[in-house]
Amino acid sequence: MFYTSDMKGRYSPLYFLAALGAGGLAVSFFMYLLWLIPHKGSAIATFASIQTAWATGDLALQTIIAVSCSGIALFAFLHVRLIVWNVRQYLQWSRTPAYEALRKSNAETQLLVLPLTFAMSINVGFIVGAVFVPGLWDIREWLFPFALMGFGLVGVWAIRIFLDFIARVFTEGGFVPAKDSSLGQMIVVFTFSMVAVGFSAGAAMSHNHLVSAIGYMGAVFFAAAAILFGLIKLALGFRIMMEHTAAEETTPTLWIVIPILTVLGITIFRLKMALAHNFGTPSTPAELFSFLTIIVALQVFFGLLGWAVMRRINYFKRWISGPERSAGSYTLICPGVALFVSANFLVNVGFVKLGLIAPFSIGHMAVYLPLIILQLVTIRVFFLLNRKLLKQSEPVTTKASPAPAE
């Protein structure tokens, strides 16, 4: 696909959600390698373990490896391509009156999608390096400090954007609740959560106690902020929607809770692993099973809630396959990816470790069927939106207040 080079004034920061979604889809293909490819001696699947599995595995295992690596490569490429496209468009748009108007409205929080997307870029780069670069995992202890610095810079960027917004609202006013009848303001929670999960990787995977502790504290800082503001903004968003009804175009933001729960869930899981591996405080399989079940249960509930609302307003036929266009429609990609990832953790850390399903059994493979369908549907929506929004010539409808969910 050739993306348009001239948006003719239609650009919005929400287009970064396309890059975010592509990065999330790359991560989703990594789940097969993480859970189905033997990688004894390393926390994740690496080039060496994948190479060994390919040489010794049967046709089924080789097929999993081929499909997974191809999916990671494709969507990592699209992630980078869409970031480059967005950065070019954003730099042009930031010199227009539309940018200044956004900075004075409820929609200023949309700018948080930039650090959110670049935090995802670090995660995607980590996966691509581990899977495709020989020997990179062997020098991981040298790389973790740089990863922590990267997430630290992205975190500072996100905090500055959020503080600029909240300080303006508290001192000058200008926030109009009736114009923000969605969960769009939860984008700050999603961003802080993504930074937290990045810090948690270093905490869990580094065997250097100082690096692990720094990663742990960074993850706790951003996760705590995400949980605090998540509770505030969730209550505020529901109150506004119940008073003014949900804004139809931004109803997909009801699903923003799904990716937030995934990244916070992985953050907490990794922090538990950090305590177990480096500080002698292990978790039991039953404890992890209970925790992951709660995460997935909440995600399914919010999935049903969002589906009921969007079905009532005929959102999918209007904004996905129909004539109406909105950059905020990319909000639909991350919930599909997030539920797929959380379910992978529940199946492989919960069901398998607890002995409810034997690894690589027919039952194990059977529970993957609905997950594969979910992944394929998400991929289809991603390409439908790319074809519809990045090649179209008509104006894109983007309200002042929408904000993403990945």
PDB file of all heavy atoms in Angstrom, residues 20 81 239 249 269:
ATOM      1  N   LEU A  20       1.008   2.079  16.224  1.00  0.00           N
ATOM      2  CA  LEU A  20       0.895   1.357  17.490  1.00  0.00           C
ATOM      3  C   LEU A  20       0.269  -0.015  17.269  1.00  0.00           C
ATOM      4  O   LEU A  20       0.736  -1.027  17.810  1.00  0.00           O
ATOM      5  CB  LEU A  20       0.043   2.168  18.469  1.00  0.00           C
ATOM      6  CG  LEU A  20      -0.146   1.571  19.856  1.00  0.00           C
ATOM      7  CD1 LEU A  20       1.169   1.554  20.629  1.00  0.00           C
ATOM      8  CD2 LEU A  20      -1.202   2.351  20.626  1.00  0.00           C
ATOM      9  N   ARG A  81       7.375   1.813   9.148  1.00  0.00           N
ATOM     10  CA  ARG A  81       6.894   2.583   8.000  1.00  0.00           C
ATOM     11  C   ARG A  81       5.820   3.588   8.411  1.00  0.00           C
ATOM     12  O   ARG A  81       5.831   4.744   7.969  1.00  0.00           O
ATOM     13  CB  ARG A  81       6.352   1.625   6.949  1.00  0.00           C
ATOM     14  CG  ARG A  81       5.916   2.311   5.659  1.00  0.00           C
ATOM     15  CD  ARG A  81       5.367   1.300   4.680  1.00  0.00           C
ATOM     16  NE  ARG A  81       4.958   1.930   3.444  1.00  0.00           N
ATOM     17  CZ  ARG A  81       4.269   1.321   2.496  1.00  0.00           C
ATOM     18  NH1 ARG A  81       3.910   0.054   2.661  1.00  0.00           N
ATOM     19  NH2 ARG A  81       3.914   1.953   1.395  1.00  0.00           N
ATOM     20  N   ARG A 239     -19.256   8.728  34.240  1.00  0.00           N
ATOM     21  CA  ARG A 239     -20.247   9.723  34.688  1.00  0.00           C
ATOM     22  C   ARG A 239     -20.649  10.632  33.536  1.00  0.00           C
ATOM     23  O   ARG A 239     -21.848  10.906  33.349  1.00  0.00           O
ATOM     24  CB  ARG A 239     -19.670  10.546  35.834  1.00  0.00           C
ATOM     25  CG  ARG A 239     -20.618  11.642  36.297  1.00  0.00           C
ATOM     26  CD  ARG A 239     -20.071  12.458  37.435  1.00  0.00           C
ATOM     27  NE  ARG A 239     -20.981  13.533  37.771  1.00  0.00           N
ATOM     28  CZ  ARG A 239     -20.778  14.421  38.751  1.00  0.00           C
ATOM     29  NH1 ARG A 239     -19.685  14.321  39.496  1.00  0.00           N
ATOM     30  NH2 ARG A 239     -21.652  15.378  38.997  1.00  0.00           N
ATOM     31  N   GLU A 249     -18.806   8.431  17.622  1.00  0.00           N
ATOM     32  CA  GLU A 249     -17.542   8.218  16.926  1.00  0.00           C
ATOM     33  C   GLU A 249     -16.457   7.664  17.837  1.00  0.00           C
ATOM     34  O   GLU A 249     -15.550   6.964  17.391  1.00  0.00           O
ATOM     35  CB  GLU A 249     -17.068   9.524  16.293  1.00  0.00           C
ATOM     36  CG  GLU A 249     -15.808   9.392  15.468  1.00  0.00           C
ATOM     37  CD  GLU A 249     -15.327  10.730  14.926  1.00  0.00           C
ATOM     38  OE1 GLU A 249     -16.119  11.692  14.957  1.00  0.00           O
ATOM     39  OE2 GLU A 249     -14.167  10.803  14.497  1.00  0.00           O
ATOM     40  N   PHE A 269       3.117  -9.195  36.455  1.00  0.00           N
ATOM     41  CA  PHE A 269       3.682 -10.543  36.288  1.00  0.00           C
ATOM     42  C   PHE A 269       5.211 -10.490  36.254  1.00  0.00           C
ATOM     43  O   PHE A 269       5.887 -11.278  36.924  1.00  0.00           O
ATOM     44  CB  PHE A 269       3.142 -11.158  34.999  1.00  0.00           C
ATOM     45  CG  PHE A 269       3.764 -12.480  34.644  1.00  0.00           C
ATOM     46  CD1 PHE A 269       3.322 -13.647  35.242  1.00  0.00           C
ATOM     47  CD2 PHE A 269       4.792 -12.556  33.712  1.00  0.00           C
ATOM     48  CE1 PHE A 269       3.896 -14.879  34.922  1.00  0.00           C
ATOM     49  CE2 PHE A 269       5.371 -13.775  33.388  1.00  0.00           C
ATOM     50  CZ  PHE A 269       4.926 -14.935  33.992  1.00  0.00           C
TER      51      PHE A 269
END
